[in-house]
Amino acid sequence: MAYVYRHIRLDKNEPFYIGISSDSNYKRAFSKRRSNIWNKIASKTNYEVEIVLEGLTWEEACEKEKEFIKLYGRKDLKEGALVNMTDGGEGAL
C-alpha cells in the first residue's frame, strides 16, 4: 500500500514538499536525500514530516500527490511554496 506525505517548514508553518512512497516503514518520507533547494530549506529551519494519507493503491497515491502539488503550488513556477520539481504522479514503485 502507498502513502502521501508532506514536509512542513516550522518557521513559516507551511508545506514545502509533497511526496509519495510505498515502503512499509515510511523510510522515504523521512529521507534527507533530496534536491539542492530542499536541502537549503532543511538546513536553515526545522521541519516536520506528516503522513497525510495512507493505505492507498499506487495509482491513488499518484493522483493525490498531483492534487496536493496543485493545491499548494510549485515554487519554481512561482505558483506557491513547494520545492517539488514536477507536478507529481511520476514516482516509481
Side-chain angles (χ1 to χ4, degrees), residues 10-52:
L10 299 181
D11 62 339
K12 295 183 177 187
N13 195 31
E14 71 180 12
F16 71 101
Y17 185 80
I18 302 292
I20 58 175
S21 187
S22 62
D23 56 76
S24 61
N25 59 1
Y26 305 116
K27 184 177 177 183
R28 177 64 182 147
F30 289 91
S31 171
K32 295 184 181 200
R33 293 187 61 159
R34 307 283 173 171
S35 70
N36 287 338
I37 191 164
W38 185 97
N39 288 318
K40 285 179 184 177
I41 291 171
S43 71
K44 68 181 175 183
T45 187
N46 291 323
Y47 69 94
E48 163 181 294
V49 177
E50 180 182 11
I51 307 302
V52 181

